Amino acid sequence: MRIPTTALTALIAIVPAYVNAAAITKRALLTGQYATESECSGLYTLENDQWGIAGYTGSQSAEALSCTSGTKLAWETTYTWTGGSSQVKSYTNVALNTGLGKKLSAITSIPTTWYWTYTTASSDLVADVSYDLWLSATAGTTGASSSSSYEIMIWLSARGGASPAGSQITTVTIDSYSWALYKGTVSTWTVFSFKPASASTEITGFNTDLKAFFTYLTTYQGVPSSNYLVQAQAGTEPFISTSSTELTTTQYTIAID
């Protein structure tokens, strides 16, 4: 089922209601390959994670804009990258620091909101905007490690033909959105990626409970509910951007209950 144009338009239209321009004050600019900054009194970490840049040309920066009500983070990232059109260069993201380490069976909800836009975009931009959620069969571990069992990605945008790891295995409707589900293997873990089923769909206003994605995976795709949710991130993966691209998040929140 495709997302109705009217529904998507309505989502986009409400974004400004969450932004107080007077409250947005830029903070330190992160430019280092693995530069980080604590946000919202330690609730989140902003990560300028340029993990895949070896052999390619470009740069990326990130900065927090504001934290309101203790949980609502506004932030932005700007980048240019050339070479290796199929290679992800970075994953500038916001990582949650609380509520992690619970078994999926013990989680009742994962409420999140994410309102974002491309302030500027290169004409040849290839990139995704996505959540990256990590599972492990072992408590007390982290994502993207030898102890990882599953990586769950939820793509809200796929510009320029960007595609997840693996191949599409089915189409599923979750929270009224139609998703193409991909399955693949990266390093030692299995990756499930939910990508909007329509290539033209870009979800710039997302307000949902991510628990529904895990309920689907444990019910229909064999993901054990005994696995622990050890890391939860939201950010962007650029492949190519020969001129400057800027992605601005006007409000981001997430919690694990």
Side-chain angles (χ1 to χ4, degrees):
M1 181 182 74
R2 295 193 176 199
I3 300 173
T5 302
T6 53
L8 184 57
T9 301
L11 282 171
I12 296 171
I14 65 175
V15 173
Y18 290 84
V19 185
N20 180 353
I24 295 180
T25 303
K26 292 188 177 184
R27 299 173 61 188
L29 184 69
L30 305 181
T31 59
Q33 184 174 1
Y34 298 109
T36 64
E37 182 179 74
S38 178
E39 312 296 351
C40 295
S41 300
L43 180 62
Y44 309 115
T45 299
L46 178 61
E47 302 177 339
N48 193 43
D49 185 359
Q50 303 172 64
W51 64 269
I53 65 175
Y56 304 111
T57 302
S59 64
Q60 186 151 2
S61 63
E63 58 188 323
L65 303 176
S66 68
C67 178
T68 58
S69 303
T71 60
K72 300 174 182 177
L73 181 65
W75 62 281
E76 67 184 15
T77 182
T78 305
Y79 56 83
T80 57
W81 294 111
T82 60
S85 60
S86 62
Q87 172 65 45
V88 173
K89 308 304 188 297
S90 60
Y91 185 57
T92 296
N93 72 89
V94 173
L96 179 65
N97 294 323
T98 63
L100 300 165
K102 295 180 180 179
K103 288 185 177 182
L104 294 182
S105 59
I107 296 173
T108 57
S109 65
I110 310 174
T112 185
T113 59
W114 193 358
Y115 298 93
W116 63 273
T117 187
Y118 280 113
T119 313
T120 59
S122 180
S123 61
D124 64 348
L125 178 63
V126 180
D128 67 70
V129 178
S130 58
Y131 290 86
D132 205 6
L133 309 164
W134 294 87
L135 303 180
S136 176
T138 306
T141 56
T142 61
S145 68
S146 58
S147 61
S148 300
S149 52
Y150 294 93
E151 178 183 9
I152 313 302
M153 299 197 75
I154 303 168
W155 287 31
L156 305 185
S157 171
R159 290 271 182 113
S163 185
S167 57
Q168 184 178 348
I169 59 172
T170 191
T171 300
V172 59
T173 298
I174 298 177
D175 193 27
S176 77
Y177 295 100
S178 182
W179 307 91
L181 179 62
Y182 288 71
K183 183 179 182 180
T185 301
V186 174
S187 188
T188 59
W189 56 84
T190 299
V191 184
F192 284 106
S193 301
F194 295 86
K195 176 177 172 284
S198 171
S200 62
T201 296
E202 194 163 75
I203 308 172
T204 58
F206 197 51
N207 185 345
T208 195
D209 183 352
L210 299 182
K211 171 67 174 179
F213 292 88
F214 290 109
T215 298
Y216 168 81
L217 291 170
T218 56
T219 303
Y220 297 106
Q221 296 298 334
V223 174
S225 61
S226 58
N227 267 216
Y228 298 87
L229 178 55
V230 297
Q231 194 165 2
Q233 302 164 284
T236 183
E237 292 181 318
F239 296 73
I240 290 289
S241 177
T242 56
S243 61
S244 181
T245 292
E246 181 178 79
L247 183 145
T248 300
T249 291
T250 53
Q251 180 182 303
Y252 176 73
T253 67
I254 189 171
I256 301 172
D257 300 322

